[in-house]
Amino acid sequence: MIAHETRVRARYAETDQMGVVYYANYFVWMEVGRNELCRANGMRYRDMEAADGVRLAVAEATCRYSFPAHYDEEVTIKAWITEANSRMVRFGYEISSAETGRKLVTGETKHIFCNREMKPAKLPAKYYPLFGIK
Amino acid sequence: MIAHETRVRARYAETDQMGVVYYANYFVWMEVGRNELCRANGMRYRDMEAADGVRLAVAEATCRYSFPAHYDEEVTIKAWITEANSRMVRFGYEISSAETGRKLVTGETKHIFCNREMKPAKLPAKYYPLFGIK
Amino acid sequence: MIAHETRVRARYAETDQMGVVYYANYFVWMEVGRNELCRANGMRYRDMEAADGVRLAVAEATCRYSFPAHYDEEVTIKAWITEANSRMVRFGYEISSAETGRKLVTGETKHIFCNREMKPAKLPAKYYPLFGIK
Amino acid sequence: MIAHETRVRARYAETDQMGVVYYANYFVWMEVGRNELCRANGMRYRDMEAADGVRLAVAEATCRYSFPAHYDEEVTIKAWITEANSRMVRFGYEISSAETGRKLVTGETKHIFCNREMKPAKLPAKYYPLFGIK
């Protein structure tokens, strides 16, 4: 799975009274980024959930903020896989201004593969290629 | 079920760059108000969902805005039932500043009773007293 | 200003444990719709705020829910102006599934034109054509 | 400034279709925790912003997830300062179930003191005691 870029525009709802995008909302954008990364690689997360009961439970999430996004600014969310095995997957993210190219934030999330009951479970082998697992 | 008052404090996350609470977030506060209204009357919505598969699907929601809430302001959410029968329930809301008493917004929501499959379904009779249905 | 259609995809963040998009989030989508409606008509709301201090304070918001949106579903947000004068503007919305065409919700919002201090103020005449005010 | 504990109840709005609180919302709870930590120590963040133009720009945010919070569950947000100087402050957080005592998440945020123009600026000395800076 190679890196993928998605674009979103900052919503009024996502700003706070400091006049910039509220810090927790970058994690929502990361979710958009990893969802579209999967789609671009031929897999929809919703299908993986529905067909095989595979769920990704978030174990860690980090964001480093360099520069804030502003209302109505279009941003580019770059997402990619940094590490994966049958038990877990790590995604990396870089969010930058689509208008100026300036880097806004970088982030990572780590997810544990779980079954429908949200218990840790090995990823079905058919998904190995998607995540680059050998 | 008589009217009930709950207090919440406006979060930074709930403000927008106009420096006030974003308009959609009052609907979240209404949810808090009706949840606490039920609890105050001896019923937890989560139990109704878990025990009997009763779900309330929102059919209509309205808010009229008189004055905005500001960050860190404590507000009082008053909620009550305005109409109910075995098929649906309507809630009324008034949200005011707990500091000044000034009325901020009024609202209503209408909900259809549904089963686990989210199909309209009559409310089990044991819940009639809770909603004041005869 | 003629009607405009925008597309968004339902985010995981926007769902709730009923497995559908949380009712308050349709108001966020309406904001996206009216923002893009303005942009499609040659005006950016952020410029109106920055250049002339014109702000739109929400006075009323209503949503009628016919069918819920689901995670990862692409929806079409249609927005248009239903009424406008120098003091206020009303927008209408229809949100439908981009996949099935099924209507999900309809809504309206009413906004009062305000100045930088958030006091009601007549809209500068140069914006009349944008809102179809004669 | 010693550690402080605040309680909030998980809102329906904060859940996602996995039936648990959406991962980004723990960062909102951290904000509630640090806001109440300041208040418990005699200082309101809103006053610091209004009186002296002091703003805290988030530089880093991390969350490690052990166990999810569920709808209507009451949680305890413990917040404290882990490091502070005239340029920045770090907060630590532990969020646990108020019902079972089970630890749900731990987190940290790092903030840079800024002026009204959001440029890094030394914290006014009068706030040193609040943050435990010598």
Side-chain angles (χ1 to χ4, degrees), chain C residues 21-35:
Chain C
V21 169
Y22 183 70
Y23 85 123
N25 291 328
Y26 295 91
F27 292 95
V28 178
W29 289 356
M30 291 182 202
E31 175 229 307
V32 172
R34 68 178 174 268
N35 193 44

Side-chain angles (χ1 to χ4, degrees), chain A residues 65-133:
Chain A
Y65 306 81
S66 303
F67 204 80
H70 292 82
Y71 164 58
D72 203 44
E73 188 173 3
E74 203 180 15
V75 302
T76 303
I77 309 164
K78 187 177 173 183
W80 64 92
I81 288 178
T82 58
E83 188 187 352
N85 60 48
S86 61
R87 297 293 183 185
M88 67 88 183
V89 56
R90 280 181 197 276
F91 294 93
Y93 310 89
E94 188 175 291
I95 300 175
S96 53
S97 168
E99 298 168 16
T100 65
R102 176 150 52 175
K103 187 180 69 176
L104 305 177
V105 313
T106 56
E108 295 95 39
T109 58
K110 179 188 172 184
H111 306 255
I112 307 296
F113 295 118
C114 291
N115 58 20
R116 279 193 180 81
E117 290 72 39
M118 293 304 290
K119 300 289 177 201
K122 282 188 73 171
L123 181 71
K126 73 177 188 186
Y127 292 113
Y128 283 18
L130 176 71
F131 291 100
I133 303 168

Side-chain angles (χ1 to χ4, degrees), chain B residues 56-120:
Chain B
L56 276 71
V58 185
E60 285 179 31
T62 298
C63 190
R64 279 171 302 279
Y65 305 82
S66 303
F67 204 81
H70 293 83
Y71 165 59
D72 204 44
E73 188 173 2
E74 203 181 14
V75 302
T76 303
I77 308 164
K78 186 177 174 183
W80 64 93
I81 288 178
T82 58
E83 186 186 353
N85 59 48
S86 61
R87 298 294 183 183
M88 67 88 181
V89 56
R90 280 182 196 277
F91 294 93
Y93 310 89
E94 187 176 290
I95 300 176
S96 53
S97 169
E99 297 169 15
T100 65
R102 173 147 57 173
K103 187 179 70 175
L104 305 178
V105 312
T106 56
E108 294 96 38
T109 58
K110 178 187 172 185
H111 306 255
I112 307 296
F113 294 117
C114 292
N115 59 19
R116 278 193 181 82
E117 290 72 40
M118 293 302 291
K119 301 287 177 202

Side-chain angles (χ1 to χ4, degrees), chain B residues 17-18 22-24 27-28 30-31 34 45 49 55-65 109 118, chain C residues 17-18 22-24 26-28 30-31 34 45 49 55-65 109 118:
Chain B
Q17 71 174 33
M18 231 181 252
Y22 182 70
Y23 85 123
F27 291 96
V28 178
M30 292 182 203
E31 175 229 307
R34 68 177 174 268
Y45 178 65
E49 245 192 40
R55 290 164 177 231
L56 276 71
V58 185
E60 285 179 31
T62 298
C63 190
R64 279 171 302 279
Y65 305 82
T109 58
M118 293 302 291
Chain C
Q17 71 174 35
M18 231 182 253
Y22 183 70
Y23 85 123
Y26 295 91
F27 292 95
V28 178
M30 291 182 202
E31 175 229 307
R34 68 178 174 268
Y45 178 65
E49 244 192 39
R55 292 166 175 228
L56 275 71
V58 185
E60 286 178 30
T62 298
C63 190
R64 279 172 301 278
Y65 305 82
T109 59
M118 293 303 290

Side-chain angles (χ1 to χ4, degrees), chain A residues 17-18, chain B residues 12 71, chain D residues 43-56 116 127:
Chain A
Q17 72 174 34
M18 230 183 253
Chain B
Y12 215 93
Y71 165 59
Chain D
M43 196 278 295
R44 295 193 303 179
Y45 179 64
R46 63 166 151 166
D47 293 341
M48 202 161 80
E49 244 191 41
D52 294 285
V54 176
R55 293 167 174 227
L56 276 70
R116 279 193 180 81
Y127 292 114

